[in-house]
Amino acid sequence: MSQTWNQHVVKKENKALVLNTIKANAPVSRASIAQTTGLNKGTVSSLVSELLNEKLINESGTGESSGGRRPVMLLLNETAGFTISIDLGVNHILGVVTDLRGNIVNERTITFSNEDLEEVLKHLHQLIDELRNEVPESEYGIVGIGVGVPGVVTSDGEILLAPNLGWKKVPLKDILFERYRVPIIVENEANGGAYGEKVYGVGQMADELIYTSISIGIGVGLILDGKLYKGLRGFSGELGHMTIEKDGPDCRCGNKGCWELYASEKTLLEKARENGYKDTNIHELVTAAENGESKAIHLLEELGDYLGIGITNIIHIFNPEQVVVGNTVQIAEKFIMPAIEKRIEKNAIGFNKNDVQLNVAKLQKYSTVMGMAAFNIEHFFEAPDKAVISN
Amino acid sequence: MSQTWNQHVVKKENKALVLNTIKANAPVSRASIAQTTGLNKGTVSSLVSELLNEKLINESGTGESSGGRRPVMLLLNETAGFTISIDLGVNHILGVVTDLRGNIVNERTITFSNEDLEEVLKHLHQLIDELRNEVPESEYGIVGIGVGVPGVVTSDGEILLAPNLGWKKVPLKDILFERYRVPIIVENEANGGAYGEKVYGVGQMADELIYTSISIGIGVGLILDGKLYKGLRGFSGELGHMTIEKDGPDCRCGNKGCWELYASEKTLLEKARENGYKDTNIHELVTAAENGESKAIHLLEELGDYLGIGITNIIHIFNPEQVVVGNTVQIAEKFIMPAIEKRIEKNAIGFNKNDVQLNVAKLQKYSTVMGMAAFNIEHFFEAPDKAVISN
DNA sequence: TAACCTTTGTTTATTCGCTAGACAAACTTA
DNA sequence: TAAGTTTGTCTAGCGAATAAACAAAGGTTA
């Protein structure tokens, strides 16, 4: 058996097409769906009635007449199920409950200092338990739990390495499934952020989008051809460890002159220390810069310049439509973005530079959780009938 | 109208599936196709009979019995049409005629020194004319002409810039279509090489393959998820202009410390000159190295080392299954490949390094032409009925 | 206000491609 | 020679899409 066969496929595809049309254009009538999709009116009618039976969509009264019978408008039944979506950071966990449209209906944060696996898992379980108790009653219940983690994740949802947490070989997907018995998605934090910005953020119009997660280190999520690109084993996007200075200092990864040795929050704070800012953080530096302290301004602009060098490489490598700067450094937007732009303007090849947009993440601290929500929702809609009822 | 609809699609897909099964496993019986594809025997029978009518496949007598009626074996009718596939280099043009299986049935080369557009086009036309006159009679005639060029090509087949030829804005696809009236494909040389190695060369088992074309400069072709990745406008793969030394020398592209300033034939020869090899070329250097001249050996190993730095970046960025080193430098294989491997072994992150294969291009000087042939053939099989009869 | 036109949504008849299973052909084995 | 196997074709039936007719519900115009 290779892959493609028969004609359930056609029905399944068309049903998905109808549902996506409703998602994208709601509220929308059957007639209008038929027109935009090119499907026959009868076909649309029958698929819509199935979707209504499955409680995935709702009728919502009649719309305005355009010179004839008034249309019955259709809406996504966004509260037919909910996701629990989590950004597991190095000193905090952000968890949200979203509906099937990606609206956040609940939110909780836990901060911690002990990064020990056992401890953090306890926090994670507690957070999920709390969120779960607050999820509204619904047809499909919790359709999935997604966790974005700052580390290397296999396609089986095992965290191979999370350097800033000091974790190795944690089968997080299995651990969570064992406990919650709903579909679990574990993904790298930058991949989640990339998808979040693509689906709900600044990249909704872009199919070729590179999301750079700039925080303690650098992670990069690649949206290529509209889909998350993960490489052979899921380890793509290690652009933080792209050499930008061939004889540069050793990185703990084994390579030399890695990008994140020049353009990360960690390096920023080290340099700040050398410049007399003792025991500071990026918030304080931004405040200082906003108050006109030239040292702070210079430090932030230097960070932006180094970011620009790596982003220029990204532009040359991928010819993307959009490059998004996300994660913690975006609070320094005012100082780093012009520096990045200046570097790109100066160094990048015209053909590649002309069409690219450079943006700050729109979802801010929610990029990753929203990406995880999007993964959960997408997974659910691929096979709603198989969803585990667990409410 | 968005995209997907009806059930001709099913038939078309299944027909393509049957044809691909024959291509891959020929000679093969109808019964065996039914088994491997999962399609019903009757369906296979009917699709096969259509393919026979279209002369795309042939029956080739009976095979061995396995305890019952002897099967009728089916073969791709590889001589139902031919491609003209061309590698347009900076001082030569290599042109081949291939059948639909990618067998080279004819080959011609022209060398030139005057890179003037008019002149080169004259040569190109002459070469194509000669090849065309020698194409055997066939059902579908010339199914396409493909040209790989060392430059930036838009999706409309316009050469925006070919720096080493000194060309700008050459609408080569239109020029050739005007003259030959068959499907024309113009593509970057490294993209062609990547696809050639993927379909006919060392990368037949790999869906995540990065092909590095190392010659005067560096071009890179990206095979991601089994398909050529071209970015937003077709300008991806400019990894030759990836900064590997942030404060390095200026490149004519506008950037600094570009990879190809360290790891290209051009740089190799410049360094050779500085080391006393006057007016040499890479062939002579390899010969010298093979004779044990330590200066030559060192120059080649240094080239390999610099290649290794960029390839390490590639491994971190893409997590590929295979990295292929192609184009002219592969004649120095014996000296550069160990140096590349050494650098990767030393610098690359374990997770990404473990699964990656490093190979020299198998098709050698034919990588690009075979890639162009593969594009032509693929394009033909997508819609054989629409092929222009032109023999 | 009535007659007619428009638009929406459902129903019915038809078509198309796949599948299952019967069957014929051709061969092997005992 | 009889029985079993494998290959390939043929026929009936099914599911899903389409086209077209029809019903429902509104607007427009005289």
mmCIF file with all atom_site columns, all heavy atoms in Angstrom, chain A residues 152-165:
data_model
loop_
_atom_site.group_PDB
_atom_site.id
_atom_site.type_symbol
_atom_site.label_atom_id
_atom_site.label_alt_id
_atom_site.label_comp_id
_atom_site.label_asym_id
_atom_site.label_entity_id
_atom_site.label_seq_id
_atom_site.pdbx_PDB_ins_code
_atom_site.Cartn_x
_atom_site.Cartn_y
_atom_site.Cartn_z
_atom_site.occupancy
_atom_site.B_iso_or_equiv
_atom_site.pdbx_formal_charge
_atom_site.auth_seq_id
_atom_site.auth_comp_id
_atom_site.auth_asym_id
_atom_site.auth_atom_id
_atom_site.pdbx_PDB_model_num
ATOM 1   N N   . VAL A 1 152 ? 15.331 20.875 22.165 1.00 0.00 ? 152 VAL A N   1
ATOM 2   C CA  . VAL A 1 152 ? 15.264 20.040 20.973 1.00 0.00 ? 152 VAL A CA  1
ATOM 3   C C   . VAL A 1 152 ? 14.260 18.928 21.209 1.00 0.00 ? 152 VAL A C   1
ATOM 4   O O   . VAL A 1 152 ? 14.394 18.170 22.168 1.00 0.00 ? 152 VAL A O   1
ATOM 5   C CB  . VAL A 1 152 ? 16.649 19.429 20.677 1.00 0.00 ? 152 VAL A CB  1
ATOM 6   C CG1 . VAL A 1 152 ? 16.579 18.526 19.471 1.00 0.00 ? 152 VAL A CG1 1
ATOM 7   C CG2 . VAL A 1 152 ? 17.686 20.532 20.480 1.00 0.00 ? 152 VAL A CG2 1
ATOM 8   N N   . VAL A 1 153 ? 13.249 18.864 20.344 1.00 0.00 ? 153 VAL A N   1
ATOM 9   C CA  . VAL A 1 153 ? 12.167 17.910 20.538 1.00 0.00 ? 153 VAL A CA  1
ATOM 10  C C   . VAL A 1 153 ? 12.090 16.967 19.335 1.00 0.00 ? 153 VAL A C   1
ATOM 11  O O   . VAL A 1 153 ? 12.140 17.418 18.192 1.00 0.00 ? 153 VAL A O   1
ATOM 12  C CB  . VAL A 1 153 ? 10.821 18.645 20.690 1.00 0.00 ? 153 VAL A CB  1
ATOM 13  C CG1 . VAL A 1 153 ? 9.699  17.656 20.936 1.00 0.00 ? 153 VAL A CG1 1
ATOM 14  C CG2 . VAL A 1 153 ? 10.891 19.672 21.803 1.00 0.00 ? 153 VAL A CG2 1
ATOM 15  N N   . THR A 1 154 ? 11.974 15.685 19.581 1.00 0.00 ? 154 THR A N   1
ATOM 16  C CA  . THR A 1 154 ? 11.812 14.726 18.479 1.00 0.00 ? 154 THR A CA  1
ATOM 17  C C   . THR A 1 154 ? 10.365 14.703 18.017 1.00 0.00 ? 154 THR A C   1
ATOM 18  O O   . THR A 1 154 ? 9.481  15.268 18.658 1.00 0.00 ? 154 THR A O   1
ATOM 19  C CB  . THR A 1 154 ? 12.164 13.296 18.914 1.00 0.00 ? 154 THR A CB  1
ATOM 20  O OG1 . THR A 1 154 ? 11.175 12.848 19.837 1.00 0.00 ? 154 THR A OG1 1
ATOM 21  C CG2 . THR A 1 154 ? 13.532 13.234 19.566 1.00 0.00 ? 154 THR A CG2 1
ATOM 22  N N   . SER A 1 155 ? 10.137 14.006 16.912 1.00 0.00 ? 155 SER A N   1
ATOM 23  C CA  . SER A 1 155 ? 8.775  13.914 16.409 1.00 0.00 ? 155 SER A CA  1
ATOM 24  C C   . SER A 1 155 ? 7.911  13.044 17.325 1.00 0.00 ? 155 SER A C   1
ATOM 25  O O   . SER A 1 155 ? 6.692  13.039 17.183 1.00 0.00 ? 155 SER A O   1
ATOM 26  C CB  . SER A 1 155 ? 8.773  13.378 14.978 1.00 0.00 ? 155 SER A CB  1
ATOM 27  O OG  . SER A 1 155 ? 9.784  12.419 14.818 1.00 0.00 ? 155 SER A OG  1
ATOM 28  N N   . ASP A 1 156 ? 8.523  12.317 18.241 1.00 0.00 ? 156 ASP A N   1
ATOM 29  C CA  . ASP A 1 156 ? 7.754  11.540 19.204 1.00 0.00 ? 156 ASP A CA  1
ATOM 30  C C   . ASP A 1 156 ? 7.445  12.340 20.464 1.00 0.00 ? 156 ASP A C   1
ATOM 31  O O   . ASP A 1 156 ? 6.954  11.783 21.448 1.00 0.00 ? 156 ASP A O   1
ATOM 32  C CB  . ASP A 1 156 ? 8.528  10.282 19.616 1.00 0.00 ? 156 ASP A CB  1
ATOM 33  C CG  . ASP A 1 156 ? 8.833  9.403  18.425 1.00 0.00 ? 156 ASP A CG  1
ATOM 34  O OD1 . ASP A 1 156 ? 8.001  9.363  17.506 1.00 0.00 ? 156 ASP A OD1 1
ATOM 35  O OD2 . ASP A 1 156 ? 9.905  8.784  18.417 1.00 0.00 ? 156 ASP A OD2 1
ATOM 36  N N   . GLY A 1 157 ? 7.777  13.639 20.443 1.00 0.00 ? 157 GLY A N   1
ATOM 37  C CA  . GLY A 1 157 ? 7.463  14.454 21.597 1.00 0.00 ? 157 GLY A CA  1
ATOM 38  C C   . GLY A 1 157 ? 8.401  14.226 22.776 1.00 0.00 ? 157 GLY A C   1
ATOM 39  O O   . GLY A 1 157 ? 8.036  14.472 23.923 1.00 0.00 ? 157 GLY A O   1
ATOM 40  N N   . GLU A 1 158 ? 9.595  13.750 22.478 1.00 0.00 ? 158 GLU A N   1
ATOM 41  C CA  . GLU A 1 158 ? 10.593 13.611 23.542 1.00 0.00 ? 158 GLU A CA  1
ATOM 42  C C   . GLU A 1 158 ? 11.533 14.811 23.514 1.00 0.00 ? 158 GLU A C   1
ATOM 43  O O   . GLU A 1 158 ? 12.024 15.201 22.447 1.00 0.00 ? 158 GLU A O   1
ATOM 44  C CB  . GLU A 1 158 ? 11.403 12.324 23.349 1.00 0.00 ? 158 GLU A CB  1
ATOM 45  C CG  . GLU A 1 158 ? 12.450 12.154 24.446 1.00 0.00 ? 158 GLU A CG  1
ATOM 46  C CD  . GLU A 1 158 ? 13.300 10.894 24.271 1.00 0.00 ? 158 GLU A CD  1
ATOM 47  O OE1 . GLU A 1 158 ? 13.147 10.212 23.246 1.00 0.00 ? 158 GLU A OE1 1
ATOM 48  O OE2 . GLU A 1 158 ? 14.125 10.621 25.161 1.00 0.00 ? 158 GLU A OE2 1
ATOM 49  N N   . ILE A 1 159 ? 11.759 15.408 24.666 1.00 0.00 ? 159 ILE A N   1
ATOM 50  C CA  . ILE A 1 159 ? 12.722 16.500 24.749 1.00 0.00 ? 159 ILE A CA  1
ATOM 51  C C   . ILE A 1 159 ? 14.109 15.881 24.848 1.00 0.00 ? 159 ILE A C   1
ATOM 52  O O   . ILE A 1 159 ? 14.465 15.287 25.866 1.00 0.00 ? 159 ILE A O   1
ATOM 53  C CB  . ILE A 1 159 ? 12.468 17.381 25.987 1.00 0.00 ? 159 ILE A CB  1
ATOM 54  C CG1 . ILE A 1 159 ? 11.033 17.914 25.974 1.00 0.00 ? 159 ILE A CG1 1
ATOM 55  C CG2 . ILE A 1 159 ? 13.461 18.523 26.028 1.00 0.00 ? 159 ILE A CG2 1
ATOM 56  C CD1 . ILE A 1 159 ? 10.649 18.613 27.268 1.00 0.00 ? 159 ILE A CD1 1
ATOM 57  N N   . LEU A 1 160 ? 14.892 15.993 23.785 1.00 0.00 ? 160 LEU A N   1
ATOM 58  C CA  . LEU A 1 160 ? 16.229 15.408 23.813 1.00 0.00 ? 160 LEU A CA  1
ATOM 59  C C   . LEU A 1 160 ? 17.155 16.234 24.692 1.00 0.00 ? 160 LEU A C   1
ATOM 60  O O   . LEU A 1 160 ? 17.968 15.701 25.426 1.00 0.00 ? 160 LEU A O   1
ATOM 61  C CB  . LEU A 1 160 ? 16.802 15.333 22.399 1.00 0.00 ? 160 LEU A CB  1
ATOM 62  C CG  . LEU A 1 160 ? 16.246 14.249 21.506 1.00 0.00 ? 160 LEU A CG  1
ATOM 63  C CD1 . LEU A 1 160 ? 16.984 14.235 20.184 1.00 0.00 ? 160 LEU A CD1 1
ATOM 64  C CD2 . LEU A 1 160 ? 16.394 12.890 22.185 1.00 0.00 ? 160 LEU A CD2 1
ATOM 65  N N   . LEU A 1 161 ? 17.012 17.563 24.552 1.00 0.00 ? 161 LEU A N   1
ATOM 66  C CA  . LEU A 1 161 ? 17.902 18.443 25.309 1.00 0.00 ? 161 LEU A CA  1
ATOM 67  C C   . LEU A 1 161 ? 17.233 19.802 25.470 1.00 0.00 ? 161 LEU A C   1
ATOM 68  O O   . LEU A 1 161 ? 16.760 20.384 24.503 1.00 0.00 ? 161 LEU A O   1
ATOM 69  C CB  . LEU A 1 161 ? 19.222 18.614 24.561 1.00 0.00 ? 161 LEU A CB  1
ATOM 70  C CG  . LEU A 1 161 ? 20.227 19.579 25.205 1.00 0.00 ? 161 LEU A CG  1
ATOM 71  C CD1 . LEU A 1 161 ? 20.803 18.984 26.477 1.00 0.00 ? 161 LEU A CD1 1
ATOM 72  C CD2 . LEU A 1 161 ? 21.338 19.917 24.226 1.00 0.00 ? 161 LEU A CD2 1
ATOM 73  N N   . ALA A 1 162 ? 17.189 20.269 26.707 1.00 0.00 ? 162 ALA A N   1
ATOM 74  C CA  . ALA A 1 162 ? 16.739 21.639 26.967 1.00 0.00 ? 162 ALA A CA  1
ATOM 75  C C   . ALA A 1 162 ? 17.847 22.298 27.782 1.00 0.00 ? 162 ALA A C   1
ATOM 76  O O   . ALA A 1 162 ? 17.838 22.254 29.005 1.00 0.00 ? 162 ALA A O   1
ATOM 77  C CB  . ALA A 1 162 ? 15.421 21.634 27.721 1.00 0.00 ? 162 ALA A CB  1
ATOM 78  N N   . PRO A 1 163 ? 18.806 22.891 27.089 1.00 0.00 ? 163 PRO A N   1
ATOM 79  C CA  . PRO A 1 163 ? 20.037 23.319 27.753 1.00 0.00 ? 163 PRO A CA  1
ATOM 80  C C   . PRO A 1 163 ? 19.794 24.294 28.900 1.00 0.00 ? 163 PRO A C   1
ATOM 81  O O   . PRO A 1 163 ? 20.413 24.162 29.956 1.00 0.00 ? 163 PRO A O   1
ATOM 82  C CB  . PRO A 1 163 ? 20.849 23.975 26.635 1.00 0.00 ? 163 PRO A CB  1
ATOM 83  C CG  . PRO A 1 163 ? 19.899 24.227 25.523 1.00 0.00 ? 163 PRO A CG  1
ATOM 84  C CD  . PRO A 1 163 ? 18.806 23.230 25.661 1.00 0.00 ? 163 PRO A CD  1
ATOM 85  N N   . ASN A 1 164 ? 18.882 25.231 28.724 1.00 0.00 ? 164 ASN A N   1
ATOM 86  C CA  . ASN A 1 164 ? 18.686 26.235 29.753 1.00 0.00 ? 164 ASN A CA  1
ATOM 87  C C   . ASN A 1 164 ? 17.863 25.739 30.935 1.00 0.00 ? 164 ASN A C   1
ATOM 88  O O   . ASN A 1 164 ? 17.719 26.423 31.941 1.00 0.00 ? 164 ASN A O   1
ATOM 89  C CB  . ASN A 1 164 ? 18.059 27.492 29.161 1.00 0.00 ? 164 ASN A CB  1
ATOM 90  C CG  . ASN A 1 164 ? 19.012 28.177 28.203 1.00 0.00 ? 164 ASN A CG  1
ATOM 91  O OD1 . ASN A 1 164 ? 20.196 28.316 28.482 1.00 0.00 ? 164 ASN A OD1 1
ATOM 92  N ND2 . ASN A 1 164 ? 18.505 28.579 27.039 1.00 0.00 ? 164 ASN A ND2 1
ATOM 93  N N   . LEU A 1 165 ? 17.298 24.549 30.790 1.00 0.00 ? 165 LEU A N   1
ATOM 94  C CA  . LEU A 1 165 ? 16.618 23.927 31.925 1.00 0.00 ? 165 LEU A CA  1
ATOM 95  C C   . LEU A 1 165 ? 17.486 22.822 32.526 1.00 0.00 ? 165 LEU A C   1
ATOM 96  O O   . LEU A 1 165 ? 17.210 22.318 33.612 1.00 0.00 ? 165 LEU A O   1
ATOM 97  C CB  . LEU A 1 165 ? 15.280 23.317 31.470 1.00 0.00 ? 165 LEU A CB  1
ATOM 98  C CG  . LEU A 1 165 ? 14.154 24.305 31.149 1.00 0.00 ? 165 LEU A CG  1
ATOM 99  C CD1 . LEU A 1 165 ? 13.028 23.602 30.405 1.00 0.00 ? 165 LEU A CD1 1
ATOM 100 C CD2 . LEU A 1 165 ? 13.630 24.945 32.428 1.00 0.00 ? 165 LEU A CD2 1
#
